[in-house]
């Protein structure tokens, strides 16, 4: 990301403000977005020394085009999406993201999230719970877990993270070092926060938000998210599209980006040793092209 003085960068996943701090130290002006008011308050305090060069907007990044500055026609030199939850959110028991810490079954990133985890596990029907566990958690034992959840909630509705984690563990047992509820918690969190829908909406807004030449950086931690970003960029970075029924390839009306790295960039062994949560991270980088004449 070129974060030199005079550049305007949108950090659409402000979190603890680590990336924004790097951009601000390099001299850029940064707008930090988060749907979590606690994250915004923390980052504002942390980055107060940068004065007017740092501002914030509370909301879902799916609404990028609703940001007043964007509505007034301002476009960014760079846009960062560093998806998922922050360490602060994960480590805070009261937020209910962790299967290791006793807390309420919440998992909302912020007030804009449509339902709580308790609503998902206590009210959604078994087929829908199976679907999200399978799709978002890539959980092969989705059916068995959903059935156990539905049986357990008929006796007593779930209220805490550890009740759910224990139910999952009893349903599928413990194998290896990964906690058996890891995939289920990830799936429920993604459903609670409508994470894939938000990403799809944000990606389609990118061409209106960036200046020609502006860069998009997306860091994903989940194969479904990475696939969505990869497909979006591959299609929009192809000057021509083809179809077996056409006599020859045709110009791609969606051609808008240049890929700055053909493949996803993954962390080095050294980076994952320093930050084990980064082990499944993938970074994709692209540049918005000038509109065709
Ligand atoms: C992985 S953390 C970002 C960490 C950050 N890059 C840093 O350096 O500290 C992701 C943050 O993005 C926020 N977030 C995730 N999805 C969001 C969405 N759809 N809209 C707005 N904020 C979102 C989360 O609340 C969380 O604070």
């Amino acid at each position: 990301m070129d974060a030199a003085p005079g550049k305007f960068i949108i950090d659409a996943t402000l979190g603890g403000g680590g990336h924004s701090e790097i951009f601000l130290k390099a001299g850029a002006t940064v707008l930090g977005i988060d749907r979590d008011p606690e994250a915004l308050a923390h980052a504002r305090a942390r980055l107060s020394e940068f004065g007017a060069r740092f501002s914030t907007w509370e909301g879902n990044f799916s609404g990028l085009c609703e940001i007043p500055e964007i509505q007034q026609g301002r476009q960014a030199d760079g846009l960062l999406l560093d998806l998922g939850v922050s360490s602060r959110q994960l480590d805070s028991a009261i937020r209910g993201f962790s299967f290791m810490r006793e807390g309420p079954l919440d998992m909302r990133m912020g007030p804009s999230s449509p339902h709580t985890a308790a609503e998902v596990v206590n009210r959604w029907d078994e087929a829908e719970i199976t679907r999200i566990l399978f799709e978002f958690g890539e959980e092969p034992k989705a059916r068995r877990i959903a059935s156990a959840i539905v049986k357990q909630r008929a006796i007593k509705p779930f209220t805490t993270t550890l009740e759910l984690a224990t139910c999952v563990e009893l349903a599928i047992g413990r194998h290896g070092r990964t906690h058996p509820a890891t995939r289920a918690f990830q799936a429920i969190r993604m459903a609670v926060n409508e994470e894939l829908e938000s990403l799809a909406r944000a990606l389609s807004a990118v061409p209106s938000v960036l200046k020609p030449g502006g860069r998009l950086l997306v860091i994903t931690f989940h194969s479904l998210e990475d696939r969505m970003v990869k497909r979006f960029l591959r299609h929009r970075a192809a000057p021509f599209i083809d179809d077996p029924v056409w006599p020859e390839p045709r110009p791609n009306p969606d051609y808008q980006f240049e890929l700055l790295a053909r493949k996803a960039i993954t962390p080095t062994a050294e980076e994952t040793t320093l930050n084990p949560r980064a082990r499944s991270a993938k970074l994709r980088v692209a540049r918005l092209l000038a509109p065709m004449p």
Side-chain angles (χ1 to χ4, degrees):
M1 190 79 87
D2 180 7
K7 300 286 180 187
F8 172 48
I9 292 175
I10 300 180
D11 179 353
T13 47
L14 180 63
H19 283 108
S20 281
E21 185 171 19
I22 295 171
F23 305 145
L24 288 160
K25 281 192 169 154
T29 297
V30 176
L31 170 65
I33 299 175
D34 210 293
R35 65 199 292 188
D36 180 349
E38 274 178 36
L40 288 168
H42 170 80
R44 265 190 228 114
R46 174 178 171 180
L47 302 173
S48 60
E49 66 183 280
F50 297 100
R53 277 203 292 123
F54 177 63
S55 59
T56 57
W57 185 77
E58 183 186 329
N60 188 330
F61 57 55
S62 63
L64 277 174
C65 293
E66 290 155 28
I67 299 170
E69 272 168 286
I70 301 295
Q71 294 215 325
Q72 285 153 21
R74 190 166 190 196
Q75 288 180 308
D77 297 282
L79 172 68
L80 170 68
L81 293 163
D82 175 15
L83 301 173
V85 277
S86 67
S87 304
R88 274 175 69 82
Q89 289 167 329
L90 208 53
D91 293 340
S92 163
I94 192 90
R95 304 296 299 271
F97 288 109
S98 173
F99 47 77
M100 311 277 278
R101 295 181 169 80
E102 178 73 319
L105 258 184
D106 191 327
M107 299 198 202
R108 283 171 304 163
M109 285 181 187
S112 66
S113 303
H115 15 243
T116 65
E119 282 162 21
V120 172
V121 296
N122 290 324
R123 298 208 197 137
W124 287 20
D125 69 29
E126 189 172 333
E128 190 61 1
I129 297 176
T130 307
R131 183 188 69 78
I132 61 160
L133 294 176
F134 195 70
E135 248 181 53
F136 302 160
E138 293 170 326
E139 171 56 73
K141 294 171 182 157
R143 233 180 255 281
R144 213 188 296 170
I145 296 172
S147 160
I149 287 175
V150 170
K151 282 198 188 100
Q152 180 62 40
R153 76 186 188 192
I155 303 166
K156 181 186 164 292
F158 290 90
T159 55
T160 74
T161 46
L162 293 192
E163 283 168 10
L164 179 62
T166 307
C167 172
V168 175
E169 184 168 1
L170 289 173
I172 62 172
R174 193 181 263 268
H175 310 278
R177 281 178 25 200
T178 311
H179 191 286
T182 307
R183 290 166 187 268
F185 268 62
Q186 173 182 278
I188 294 166
R189 188 204 84 206
M190 289 180 74
V192 163
N193 296 290
E194 298 185 326
E195 294 181 34
L196 290 176
E197 295 91 329
S198 299
L199 175 60
R201 279 190 225 121
L203 289 176
S204 58
V206 173
S208 335
V209 166
L210 283 179
K211 285 179 191 161
R215 279 158 200 234
L216 168 69
L217 274 76
V218 189
I219 304 171
T220 60
F221 293 85
H222 189 287
S223 57
L224 283 179
E225 287 171 343
D226 181 57
R227 211 173 304 150
M228 186 184 283
V229 178
K230 181 167 92 180
R231 286 191 182 151
F232 173 85
L233 288 176
R234 277 239 176 107
H235 172 62
R236 290 182 187 234
F240 291 93
I241 44 174
D242 204 358
D243 189 299
V245 299
W246 297 342
E248 58 191 21
R250 295 177 184 175
N252 180 1
D254 300 327
Y255 177 44
Q256 279 171 321
F257 287 95
E258 175 197 358
L259 298 180
L260 297 180
R262 260 190 54 74
K263 289 194 166 178
I265 301 164
T266 50
T268 58
E270 199 185 336
E271 280 166 331
T272 45
T273 311
L274 284 173
N275 177 12
R277 281 178 184 166
R279 67 187 177 278
S280 48
K282 285 189 174 166
L283 166 66
R284 294 195 184 265
V285 195
R287 191 171 71 87
L288 186 72
L289 300 170
M292 293 294 146

